[in-house]
Amino acid sequence: SARTGDFSSAFRLIEQAKQDGFQLDKVTWSAVLSPCRHYRNREAAETAFYELQKSNPSEDSLAAAYVVMGDVYRACGDEASTE
């Protein structure tokens, strides 16, 4: 799972859920996005952030996601993306 740094398994599970007709929401994508800063996985973070934006999150959820993305960019050494 994403919480343990196994993002490929998390994305496979998400793809299977989509194929099975499940509607993925902001909770799903936030659960993937959050550990990305710890594991410094920018690619997974950007995918989760993009999908979270498409899920019509509340303003608070979206603001929190922007903060996490800033943390991910900093953790990955990409200060320019946080400006």
Side-chain angles (χ1 to χ4, degrees), residues 24-45:
L24 304 176
D25 61 9
K26 65 184 178 193
V27 174
T28 304
W29 296 113
S30 294
V32 174
L33 178 60
S34 186
C36 288
R37 89 185 111 188
H38 175 77
Y39 291 104
R40 297 181 177 140
N41 192 323
R42 180 180 173 167
E43 183 179 342

Side-chain angles (χ1 to χ4, degrees), residues 6-82:
D6 187 0
F7 293 98
S8 59
S9 291
F11 281 114
R12 278 195 306 275
L13 182 63
I14 287 168
E15 283 305 313
Q16 185 62 49
K18 284 181 183 179
Q19 290 175 3
D20 291 343
F22 287 96
Q23 293 291 328
L24 304 176
D25 61 9
K26 65 184 178 193
V27 174
T28 304
W29 296 113
S30 294
V32 174
L33 178 60
S34 186
C36 288
R37 89 185 111 188
H38 175 77
Y39 291 104
R40 297 181 177 140
N41 192 323
R42 180 180 173 167
E43 183 179 342
E46 288 175 341
T47 299
F49 182 70
Y50 173 75
E51 293 293 336
L52 190 141
Q53 287 177 305
K54 292 187 341 186
S55 71
N56 297 317
S58 67
E59 286 184 26
D60 289 343
S61 294
L62 190 56
Y66 273 103
V67 170
V68 172
M69 282 305 299
D71 291 345
V72 169
Y73 288 131
R74 273 189 291 285
C76 293
D78 191 357
E79 295 292 326
S81 296
T82 63

